[in-house]
Structures are given as structure tokens and as C-alpha cells.
Amino acid sequence: MQLLTLSGSLRTRSTNGFLLHAARLMATADGAEVTTAEIGTLPHFNPDLDGEGATVPAPVAALREAVGAADAVLVVSPEYAHGVPGTLKNALDWLVSSGEFVSRRVGVITASPSSTGGDYANAQLCETLRMMTGTVVEEACLTVGLIGGKLDRETGEITDDQLTSELRAAVKSLTTPS
Ligand SMILES: Cc1cc2nc3c(=O)[nH]c(=O)nc-3n(C[C@H](O)[C@H](O)[C@H](O)COP(=O)(O)O)c2cc1C
């Protein structure tokens, strides 16, 4: 099982990044081989660079190869202004025409300090991934509200037992397809 992870936050001490780190450890414990795609340095999507005969920029080619090689993808992201962070949407836009998400199993986790858990961004990500004909695994989708109180301030480790078990179940459903 090759699991690729994508983060919608570029922040060094990202709360979503801490969740992603925990998810990676859980997936590794389940026997998955986990890799992370770097999306912060992708150029802005431009259809002129994506058409027939065009040579896509190297970081885009690398992203496409990474998604294409994965059995499943886990997206973990904050919500910005009730939407998907531009960096993440940009990465997904580069993957529309090339088709690597077709039938790819994918989970979507959003976390926020507010009680809503980034539910707008979560719904938008699921909608976009379904439009790209990815297989959104419902059990691997989570909105995590009040994230600030569920992580250790210093280490970023999860301190909330319910969140730990929800995240473990989400990761397991993605890494062990029925
Ligand atoms: C530009 C911006 C827009 C934001 N918009 C929302 C929002 O619409 N909904 C929400 O729940 N939180 C919003 N937040 C708060 C983020 O959820 C919070 O900063 C969170 O810690 C970001 O995730 P990270 O810790 O993984 O970087 C916003 C933050 C920023 C910087």
C-alpha cells in the first residue's frame, strides 16, 4: 500500500500538519509506505502549459508521477475564507486533465480552531475530487473542530483520545481497502 499525503498548509507549525504527521505514523504502523508530495513550489496552473505538445514544468511532472504511483491519497488541509487554500487547489488543477485521480482512493481531513472544522473546504475538496472521478472514501473523511485544544502546545501531538481513534479509523479505512 503506497499512501501519498498532500497538505493544504505551508505553515511550519501547522495544526493540519501535526494531524498529517500523526496520520503518517498510523499508516506506517498499518504497513503502508507513506510519501509526501511537495506542492508549495508548483507554478500557477496555466492551461497553455498543459495542452498537447506542451512540456509540463518538472515539479508538476513529479506530482503527477507521485499521485499516479499511489494506491491512495490523504489530503489534510485548513479552510481559508470558507474555501480551499489556493496552494492545494492549484495542485489539484494541475491533476485534472492528466487523470491521475481517476479511481484513486482518497481521504479528506480538514481541521480548524473553530467548531466547524473547515466543513466548507472539506465539502469543496470532496466535490472537486469526485468531479476528477477520484474515489472519495467516506470513512476516510473527517472535519476536526476546535483543533487548538486537541494538540499538545509544544509537541503538536494529539492529546484528545476521540480524535486519535477517529483519525486511526480514517487512516485504516484508506490503507486497508475492502
Ligand atoms: C487567510 C485565512 C483564512 C482563514 N479562513 C478560515 C475559515 O474560513 N474557516 C476556518 O475555520 N478557519 C479559517 N482560518 C483559520 C485557520 O483555520 C487557522 O489559521 C488554522 O490554524 C490554519 O491551519 P494550519 O494550522 O494547519 O495552518 C483562516 C486563516 C487564514 C490565515
Side-chain angles (χ1 to χ4, degrees):
M1 159 59 63
Q2 305 269 350
L3 179 70
L4 180 75
T5 63
L6 298 179
S7 173
S9 176
L10 302 179
R11 227 158 56 82
T12 312
R13 287 188 55 80
S14 159
T15 52
N16 285 274
F18 287 132
L19 275 191
L20 190 47
H21 177 70
R24 278 193 212 108
L25 295 178
M26 291 170 183
T28 304
D30 286 346
E33 193 173 305
V34 186
T35 51
T36 301
E38 176 52 61
I39 60 170
T41 55
L42 293 174
H44 290 162
F45 175 66
N46 178 349
D48 288 345
L49 303 177
D50 192 34
E52 243 184 63
T55 305
V56 294
V60 175
L63 175 67
R64 288 178 174 179
E65 196 180 325
V67 176
D71 297 302
V73 178
L74 179 64
V75 179
V76 182
S77 180
E79 172 178 283
Y80 286 166
H82 286 187
V84 177
T87 306
L88 179 55
K89 184 61 167 62
N90 183 54
L92 295 181
D93 288 345
W94 276 114
L95 295 163
V96 173
S97 68
S98 52
E100 286 80 9
F101 263 108
V102 175
S103 300
R104 189 81 52 220
R105 292 165 59 76
V106 54
V108 175
I109 297 175
T110 53
S112 162
S114 92
S115 60
T116 60
D119 53 357
Y120 287 101
N122 199 295
Q124 289 167 25
L125 281 164
C126 290
E127 176 61 23
T128 295
L129 290 160
R130 282 195 195 101
M131 186 274 161
M132 292 162 72
T133 63
T135 302
V136 175
V137 178
E138 295 295 335
E139 299 78 12
C141 295
L142 271 185
T143 55
V144 183
L146 309 176
I147 185 66
K150 297 176 181 175
L151 301 176
D152 183 281
R153 276 179 185 276
E154 297 298 318
T155 64
E157 281 172 38
I158 300 173
T159 52
D160 183 273
D161 290 346
Q162 190 179 334
L163 175 55
T164 300
S165 61
E166 285 174 358
L167 187 62
R168 185 165 285 131
V171 168
K172 195 152 218 108
S173 67
L174 200 55
T175 55
T176 51
S178 50

